Amino acid sequence: MSLMNWFEDKRRFGGLIGAFIEKATKGYIFSEREKDRYIKIDTTKGLWTRCDNCENMLYVRFLRQNKRICEECGYHLQMSSTERIELLIDRGTWYPMDEDMTARDVLKFSDEDSYKNRIAFYQKRTGLTDAIQTGIGQLNGIPIALGVMDFQFMGGSMGSVVGEKITRLIEYATRASMPLIIVCSSGGARMQEGTLSLMQMAKISSVLQIHQAQKRLLYIAILTYPTTGGVTASFGMLGDIIIAEPKAYIAFAGKRVIEQTLRQKIPDGFQVAESLFDHGLLDLIVPRNLLKGVLSEIFELYNAAPCKKFQNSFF
């Protein structure tokens, strides 16, 4: 095989990955035949992958060392929740919470496949029980409560388990007087759970109100590609400080839905992090390789704030 043919095969491989991510983003339903095809594709085990932005071939080993940032164009590729925990939490200080919590198919939802089978498929594929990992750890020696959503598990959709795990994490952080970070990466509420998934928005928002307003504790929301739907409409935009990664797609409804509803064209890049920052919806846009240091400085400023010494006098 010639070198040119070898690279062409790698490009085709990258195209399959791109098609898989596109289907997950758009909420496509996998048939059994498609599952057999895509379950064998794992970018973490291959040698090469392709940048979603500039389409350059990237050596996976170097990509991991570079925190999944393209060395050619600086584009931030998707990370798993485990990789994000390793990025933010000091080694040996991570203590997970509610790892055995799994979803139940209370609505007996079924389309081309049952919800129960779909959950089992993604649990096997990702090694997670649902679309978020929660726990406590230390960030540069500072104890924090951390929740990290994982887009690889059903598009990071927010079901009852995601909502309950986030709620318990916030309640624990409130009792322990710990700052809270939630890394958002989600397509929105999980359609297989119907109204039950939408109820999580109110439940999470209510415990956040206690954490922030009543106890005056810090909550930082980190928005990554993509953050959409019910996650954006609830805890994604409730942070005391809202941070986004460069070029992150952040929206409630998609561009096509907005254009069909308003019957007018919206500009390209309207829902990209830089555009939202220009319109005052975000506080910071922080590259991934600087994120831990920026968070550490924010916590140091928060701990040194004079108002914290007198917070009990407000009640």
Side-chain angles (χ1 to χ4, degrees):
M1 177 185 292
S2 69
L3 187 60
M4 290 296 294
N5 289 338
W6 185 83
F7 270 105
E8 185 61 29
D9 289 343
K10 291 300 177 183
R11 289 192 182 93
R12 292 196 189 99
F13 178 76
L16 290 175
I17 299 171
F20 172 76
I21 294 175
E22 183 179 359
K23 283 196 172 187
T25 305
K26 292 182 178 179
Y28 277 62
I29 306 301
F30 287 109
S31 65
E32 291 299 328
R33 184 176 180 182
E34 286 175 315
K35 285 181 183 179
D36 293 338
R37 177 184 177 190
Y38 287 114
I39 196 171
K40 298 175 184 178
I41 299 175
D42 188 350
T43 57
T44 61
K45 295 181 181 180
L47 292 176
W48 296 85
T49 187
R50 187 180 66 175
C51 175
D52 298 329
N53 183 51
C54 67
E55 299 188 350
N56 277 312
M57 298 301 298
L58 303 171
Y59 188 41
V60 170
R61 180 179 176 184
F62 293 159
L63 186 62
R64 288 176 183 167
Q65 294 173 355
N66 202 33
K67 299 178 176 60
R68 295 200 175 271
I69 300 174
C70 176
E71 58 186 13
E72 297 292 334
C73 66
Y75 184 78
H76 288 50
L77 280 74
Q78 287 185 348
M79 294 182 78
S80 68
S81 55
T82 300
E83 289 174 320
R84 290 194 182 276
I85 292 170
E86 293 173 353
L87 173 69
L88 297 176
I89 298 298
D90 301 340
R91 186 181 298 273
T93 65
W94 175 249
Y95 297 94
M97 299 171 59
D98 303 311
E99 285 187 292
D100 57 347
M101 191 180 297
T102 58
R104 295 180 59 188
D105 187 11
V106 295
L107 300 181
K108 307 300 180 184
F109 187 95
S110 180
D111 38 58
E112 292 187 7
D113 199 358
S114 68
Y115 180 40
K116 182 178 179 180
N117 290 342
R118 201 176 303 281
I119 288 289
F121 166 70
Y122 281 101
Q123 286 176 340
K124 181 178 179 181
R125 182 173 178 270
T126 63
L128 304 175
T129 55
D130 215 285
I132 192 169
Q133 293 193 64
T134 59
I136 58 174
Q138 294 185 14
L139 188 151
N140 288 340
I142 302 171
I144 65 167
L146 175 67
V148 184
M149 305 189 77
D150 199 315
F151 191 77
Q152 296 177 7
F153 194 106
M154 295 189 71
S157 52
M158 178 182 62
S160 55
V161 169
V162 171
E164 183 64 21
K165 291 183 72 171
I166 293 176
T167 301
R168 293 188 183 189
L169 176 71
I170 298 169
E171 291 175 338
Y172 181 91
T174 303
R175 291 194 302 269
S177 297
M178 298 174 66
L180 169 70
I181 298 175
I182 299 180
V183 181
C184 304
S185 178
S186 174
R190 185 171 296 174
M191 70 172 192
Q192 288 87 351
E193 295 189 20
T195 306
L196 295 176
S197 63
L198 298 178
M199 291 169 59
Q200 309 308 313
M201 299 168 60
K203 181 170 74 174
I204 296 170
S205 299
S206 63
V207 293
L208 268 178
Q209 197 274 340
I210 298 173
H211 182 84
Q212 295 171 281
Q214 296 186 22
K215 299 299 183 180
R216 299 185 182 277
L217 296 170
L218 182 64
Y219 163 48
I220 298 177
I222 300 175
L223 311 183
T224 69
Y225 183 96
T227 301
T228 62
V231 172
T232 305
S234 55
F235 59 90
M237 286 295 179
L238 290 177
D240 298 300
I241 299 175
I242 303 175
I243 299 174
E245 288 187 337
K247 304 296 182 183
Y249 178 73
I250 303 165
F252 175 68
K255 179 180 179 182
R256 182 181 61 184
V257 174
I258 295 173
E259 290 179 339
Q260 290 178 349
T261 303
L262 300 180
R263 300 186 184 278
Q264 64 183 35
K265 192 79 173 176
I266 64 173
D268 293 334
F270 178 71
Q271 296 169 311
V272 175
E274 286 73 9
S275 175
L276 272 64
F277 178 78
D278 291 339
H279 288 82
L281 295 176
L282 304 175
D283 295 301
L284 295 168
I285 296 178
V286 181
R288 191 176 291 163
N289 52 354
L290 301 178
L291 183 59
K292 187 173 183 179
V294 170
L295 290 172
S296 180
E297 291 186 11
I298 291 174
F299 289 138
E300 289 176 4
L301 290 171
Y302 169 73
N303 290 329
C307 63
K308 285 199 66 185
K309 300 177 183 178
F310 307 103
Q311 62 181 359
N312 292 330
S313 64
F314 289 95
F315 302 100

